[in-house]
Amino acid sequence: MLLKKSKDGIISVLKEHINIVMSTLENLNNMINSLLILDIKKGKEYASIIDSLETRADYVHREGVVKICKGSLFGYMREDIITLMEYIDDIADSAKEASRALMQRKVPEEMLVKFFNNNTLAYINASIDTVKHLIRLIDALDSKGDVILEYIRHVEQSEEYADTLKNIVVQELYSSNIYDTLTIIQLREFVQLIDRIADSAEDASDVVLIMLAKGYA
């Protein structure tokens, strides 16, 4: 096992952090659902909630780093745990930036409806699912190495699936003649930020893999 539940309470710190991060994603999903029914006002309310949650995630991140540095956790693991938390925090940052990219300029309604088709929604859900797999991985950090490896594979497979869907979404965005140039730029930025959510989750799982490779488990 990489981390014991009792060791400096580090697993509880990681869980608190990633649970807040997951809340930002849930509200991002709520924001998108509001936009799907063209409720822009509600979408803006969810964007504000996302901002607040990202700020909260930053605070927990900082407090967690302080706890790790002051605690009795072996020094050779501290850098890896801090890097893991940084990637987790990047997920919340990406969710906030994705919501801002979508809300900073009003997308014409017919373009918004066109963009949020089944493929785009599947892509967003796949990216969020990658984070859910990361949560399961963190829950398993006190398990045996082979169990942890299995959860790492789940994160990787989910990210690969999200990446496949991203390519479809981008192709659809560029091949349609319904979008104006500014909207293409705006929606492309949103797509890339959603990609960062899944990428950051995979990067976090890679840190765990490195920890295993170092023989911590």
Side-chain angles (χ1 to χ4, degrees):
M1 60 183 65
L2 281 175
L3 297 173
K4 294 180 181 179
K5 289 183 178 179
S6 60
K7 184 173 286 186
D8 287 351
I10 191 59
I11 289 184
S12 65
V13 171
L14 289 170
K15 285 184 178 180
E16 180 186 7
H17 188 207
I18 201 166
N19 284 339
I20 296 171
V21 169
M22 191 64 212
S23 292
T24 67
L25 298 180
E26 290 168 352
N27 279 280
L28 178 64
N29 213 15
N30 290 338
M31 186 192 80
I32 291 167
N33 287 334
S34 297
L35 296 180
L36 276 171
I37 59 174
L38 303 177
D39 190 343
I40 308 302
K41 181 180 179 181
K42 195 67 177 178
K44 289 180 178 179
E45 290 176 3
Y46 282 120
S48 179
I49 293 172
I50 292 167
D51 273 356
S52 297
L53 286 169
E54 189 274 337
T55 299
R56 174 63 181 164
D58 276 345
Y59 173 79
V60 173
H61 177 207
R62 289 193 298 271
E63 292 297 303
V65 170
V66 170
K67 183 179 179 67
I68 292 166
C69 292
K70 290 183 175 180
S72 60
L73 192 66
F74 294 120
Y76 57 81
M77 294 184 70
R78 286 177 182 169
E79 183 177 347
D80 293 311
I81 298 296
I82 290 171
T83 301
L84 174 61
M85 291 193 72
E86 287 174 351
Y87 283 128
I88 291 172
D89 206 57
D90 283 344
I91 297 170
D93 290 342
S94 299
K96 181 187 72 174
E97 294 303 320
S99 69
R100 287 183 175 179
L102 207 54
M103 302 301 296
Q104 65 187 355
R105 170 183 172 271
K106 184 177 180 180
V107 178
E109 291 183 356
E110 67 276 11
M111 298 181 191
L112 199 61
V113 172
K114 173 73 174 178
F115 177 69
F116 283 118
N117 58 29
N118 290 337
N119 286 330
T120 302
L121 295 178
Y123 167 55
I124 295 167
N125 288 332
S127 297
I128 294 175
D129 283 344
T130 305
V131 180
K132 291 179 180 178
H133 285 298
L134 177 62
I135 292 174
R136 297 183 187 105
L137 169 60
I138 289 174
D139 285 340
L141 286 179
D142 62 338
S143 303
K144 294 182 179 179
D146 56 343
V147 175
I148 295 173
L149 279 172
E150 185 63 23
Y151 283 109
I152 291 173
R153 280 193 288 269
H154 291 165
V155 176
E156 292 173 345
Q157 290 167 356
S158 184
E159 189 278 334
E160 288 173 2
Y161 177 58
D163 200 47
T164 299
L165 291 172
K166 181 195 76 172
N167 292 333
I168 295 173
V169 172
V170 171
Q171 183 178 21
E172 289 179 343
L173 180 62
Y174 285 152
S175 62
S176 176
N177 57 10
I178 190 176
Y179 305 110
D180 59 74
T181 302
L182 285 177
T183 299
I184 290 175
I185 294 171
Q186 182 180 3
L187 296 179
R188 169 71 178 183
E189 181 183 5
F190 172 78
V191 170
Q192 296 287 32
L193 288 164
I194 294 297
D195 187 48
R196 268 179 47 189
I197 290 171
D199 284 349
S200 296
E202 185 186 31
D203 288 340
S205 74
D206 286 342
V207 173
V208 178
L209 182 60
I210 289 169
M211 292 170 70
L212 285 175
K214 288 179 179 178
Y216 293 166

